[in-house]
Amino acid sequence: MASPSKQKGNAFEREIVNQAKEFGLKAVRAWGSNGQSLGLHEEVDCTVEEYTVQAKRRKKIASFLKCEHTDIVAFREDRGDTYALMNINIFLTLLKKLKG
């Protein structure tokens, strides 16, 4: 039997896939949380449409990544890439609109 941490991670991956499907999007969870089972990099836990997802669930995330009054948080490390963080519902809504 998998450890409680692994079970929690697997459940979160299934949650993401199921939520995407509720939006009418194509979503697949990689067998064993290993993207190689989908022909992708091992870091890939699931796909939503053509996008790869690495799912991370934590007891608590850094407070600077959560903003109650904005839709997107943009962040980067010095001399690094910029990332956009948003609520999964906003992300799935945008994908659904793009899919048209």
Side-chain angles (χ1 to χ4, degrees):
M1 179 173 249
S3 72
S5 180
K6 179 70 174 156
Q7 289 175 341
K8 183 170 99 170
N10 291 346
F12 184 51
E13 293 163 10
R14 286 190 297 274
E15 179 183 322
I16 291 169
V17 167
N18 291 335
Q19 194 171 5
K21 287 179 177 180
E22 288 173 8
F23 276 77
L25 300 167
K26 181 181 175 212
V28 178
R29 181 177 172 266
W31 186 85
S33 303
N34 185 335
Q36 290 177 330
S37 67
L38 300 174
L40 301 167
H41 191 276
E42 64 185 23
E43 286 182 347
V44 176
D45 291 327
C46 55
T47 61
V48 178
E49 293 291 326
E50 68 269 24
Y51 299 97
T52 55
V53 179
Q54 167 62 241
K56 294 291 186 189
R57 182 172 164 188
R58 297 288 184 259
K59 183 175 183 177
K60 187 172 175 122
I61 61 172
S63 61
F64 73 89
L65 293 175
K66 298 187 286 186
C67 293
E68 293 179 32
H69 306 288
T70 64
D71 295 320
I72 298 169
V73 176
F75 59 97
R76 72 170 182 158
E77 59 188 2
D78 292 346
R79 294 173 295 284
D81 292 332
T82 300
Y83 295 89
L85 175 72
M86 66 188 79
N87 180 285
I88 190 76
N89 289 320
I90 293 172
F91 173 70
L92 295 173
T93 299
L94 289 172
L95 281 184
K96 186 176 179 178
K97 287 180 182 180
L98 285 173
K99 184 179 172 188

